[in-house]
Structure formats: C-alpha cells, structure tokens
Amino acid sequence: MENQTLTRKEFDVLNFVESSHKLPTQREIAEATQMSLGSVNRTVNILIENEMLNNNGITATGYSCLEPYRVKRVIFLAAGFGSRLVPVSLNTPKALVRVQGKRIIDTLLDAVTNIGIEEIYIVRGYLSEQFDQLLYKYPTIKFIENPIYNESNNISSAMCARHLLQNAYVMEADLILYNPSLIQKYQYTSNFLGVPTGTTNDWCVETRNNVITKFKVGGTNCHHVFGISYWNKEDGAKLYEDIKAVYEMPGGKERYWDQVPLEYCQNNYRVEVRECSFDDIFEVDTYSDLKKLDKSYN
C-alpha cells in the first residue's frame, strides 16, 4: 500500500497521531479532527487494515503514505519598509522588531524549526544586512534579495521566490504566532489561515464548503485571513507562471502576491481556509499595535 493517495479523513487521523506525543484515543482524535466517533472508528480500521497504523502508532507504510504531503520549505516575505511602524522601523526591519524582548519573526521561525523544516528562505530588502543576525540562532536560513522592494508591493518578493513555492509555506514576517501547533509537518492541500468572524474591515475571504471563493477588504460572515499559506506541489508549479503573468500586467507591481491565486487567477486554484482563532496569531500592523503589545514603546 506504499505511496497510496490518502483520503482527507485518513490524512487527518494520521496527521493528528503523528503530531501527538502519545498514541491518542479515538475520542481525542474525534475532538481534534472534528470527525464523528463512528467516522474515526471506521477510518482507523481502514488504516490498520492497510498497515498504516498499529497499536504502536504510525507504521513505516503510514509514513510513506504521508510523505507526499510533507512541507518541504518555508518562504518568508520580509522585504518591506513597514511605514506604519514608524518610528521604530526607521532603524529596524519590521520582522526584527522586538516585542517583549523577542523578535517578531522568531515566533514563526521557532515553530518552523521545531518540526524539523530546515529549508528556510527569507526574501529581504529594506536594511537587508540586519537579517544576518538571524543566522546565529537559525543557521540554515538562506536569503533572497529583492532589489526593487521599494518600487512595488510584495508581489515583487513572490517573484523572487516563485521557483520555491511547491510544497511550501509562505509567511508574512510581521506575524506573532502564539499557537505554534498551527505550523505542521504535513498539509493535505493548499490553504490560507483564517479566522471565522461576523465582521472585519481587513482582508478577508468568502468561502463555499471551506473553499475560498472571493478575496476582498472588509466583509461580514467571512474569514479574516492571516498571511500564512501552504501551497501543494501542483499549485506551487502554477504559481510560478501566474505570479509572473500578474506581475507583468499593467499595474501588476502594485498588487499583493496573494491576489494572484485568490483573485486574478482564481480559476486555476482550489484553496481552502484552515481555521484558527484571534488568540492564535496577531499581525503587528501599526505602531499603535506595537504599543498595545509592549508597554516599553509608550
């Protein structure tokens, strides 16, 4: 049964078992995956029959079947100036600003390295040499230079890294991650992190059956989106072409990179929302945000 394509339920069960420090009960699996107990029982039995799971946990066959879903790399978009963080961003790139003594990007890097992802890229531009300090703690980081970060929106950073987007997380570097378990070794399909909300004035998505159907600023009964996404092998290959096509359109340099799969080339993708809560993650968008998080900036 090696390299068998997993159903969503089979993946969800294996992924939860893999991320647990002990063999979970079926009730624990049901609670974590939001599957019914009966559905978990049937799925576990199938996994046992196919020798992917046994009383000790995931078997070698199970790991082999999970392998196509493994996250291979992470790309951080960190080239921008961060004008809304002035005055602190005048001397420090946004991602390296400290909150309660810890650099913003460290909350993401710690989560990434803790699950064993070694292929880490940071697209940098503004005060780029300051990012070298990260190598002391995270020696596997590779840097990608964005020479036109000040002439364009973040689509230019995606252009610089578009050859790396298969089986990859893409993360904006101004996010404080409070729940590191959101960053997982395996992902079933392309997705964006989003929080279900009644109303938001920020970037959000409408969905149908958990698949993103519309990307916009402000909405009701939608998902507020955060800049952490995952792209599977097929979608990563398509992004290589589509990012370039949108970038070269009239006004293309002014676009945000995520408008490519969620708006301009939406028909080429089936991107899901991966739900989280506002307690899990926080975007440091303005100096006012910073002051709320860390009194030393007042």
Side-chain angles (χ1 to χ4, degrees), residues 155-175:
I155 192 171
S156 64
S157 290
M159 268 291 287
C160 296
R162 64 194 173 95
H163 59 293
L164 296 166
L165 297 180
Q166 297 185 39
N167 301 102
Y169 281 123
V170 177
M171 301 188 185
E172 293 176 10
D174 59 351
L175 300 168

Side-chain angles (χ1 to χ4, degrees), residues 19 92 125 156 261:
S19 64
T92 308
S156 64

Side-chain angles (χ1 to χ4, degrees), residues 107-147:
T107 65
L108 298 164
L109 284 167
D110 287 347
V112 166
T113 55
N114 284 346
I115 59 170
I117 299 175
E118 295 184 354
E119 207 176 320
I120 302 169
Y121 299 87
I122 296 178
V123 185
R124 62 184 182 175
Y126 175 64
L127 297 177
S128 61
E129 69 285 348
Q130 290 197 24
F131 284 91
D132 290 346
Q133 66 184 266
L134 293 171
L135 293 171
Y136 294 104
K137 186 176 178 184
Y138 312 101
T140 66
I141 288 174
K142 294 182 175 68
F143 297 113
I144 298 172
E145 310 300 331
N146 178 357

Side-chain angles (χ1 to χ4, degrees), residues 5-59:
T5 300
L6 297 171
T7 67
R8 186 55 170 270
K9 289 179 179 177
E10 289 166 352
F11 171 83
D12 285 347
V13 170
L14 284 178
N15 187 42
F16 181 66
V17 172
E18 199 281 333
S19 64
S20 300
H21 298 298
K22 59 179 178 59
L23 191 61
T25 65
Q26 291 195 9
R27 188 169 296 281
E28 288 170 334
I29 295 171
E31 288 174 1
T33 61
Q34 298 184 319
M35 291 162 58
S36 70
L37 205 50
S39 191
V40 169
N41 182 260
R42 287 189 294 273
T43 304
V44 167
N45 286 336
I46 290 169
L47 292 170
I48 291 171
E49 286 170 19
N50 290 333
E51 300 180 345
M52 291 187 242
L53 201 62
N54 61 27
N55 290 334
N56 296 318
I58 301 175
T59 65

Side-chain angles (χ1 to χ4, degrees), residues 148-289:
I148 62 162
Y149 71 90
N150 60 342
E151 302 168 23
S152 66
N153 232 316
N154 70 2
I155 192 171
S156 64
S157 290
M159 268 291 287
C160 296
R162 64 194 173 95
H163 59 293
L164 296 166
L165 297 180
Q166 297 185 39
N167 301 102
Y169 281 123
V170 177
M171 301 188 185
E172 293 176 10
D174 59 351
L175 300 168
I176 296 178
L177 185 66
Y178 294 116
N179 180 5
S181 68
L182 287 175
I183 310 304
Q184 299 170 349
K185 280 186 196 179
Y186 303 96
Q187 291 289 337
Y188 192 71
T189 190
S190 299
N191 62 70
F192 256 88
L193 275 188
V195 179
T197 183
T199 181
T200 180
N201 296 319
D202 215 322
W203 284 98
C204 62
V205 293
E206 294 178 4
T207 60
R208 184 179 300 116
N209 298 324
N210 210 45
V211 175
I212 294 172
T213 56
K214 191 171 184 180
F215 185 50
K216 60 184 183 174
V217 177
T220 56
N221 299 320
C222 55
H223 284 80
H224 173 113
V225 286
F226 284 102
I228 294 181
S229 58
Y230 172 76
W231 303 93
N232 64 23
K233 184 177 181 180
E234 297 74 22
D235 288 345
K238 286 184 281 188
L239 280 168
Y240 179 82
E241 303 293 343
D242 289 344
I243 288 170
K244 183 173 186 288
V246 173
Y247 182 78
E248 292 176 348
M249 285 168 41
K253 289 183 181 180
E254 305 308 311
R255 306 301 170 210
Y256 292 101
W257 92 270
D258 30 19
Q259 288 180 280
V260 176
L262 300 185
E263 186 176 338
Y264 291 101
C265 305
Q266 187 189 38
N267 291 338
N268 293 347
Y269 303 88
R270 184 183 181 279
V271 185
E272 295 187 359
V273 163
R274 187 158 64 97
E275 288 193 349
C276 61
S277 80
F278 286 117
D279 292 331
D280 291 329
I281 192 167
F282 184 85
E283 181 179 6
V284 184
D285 205 26
T286 65
Y287 190 59
S288 175
D289 290 337

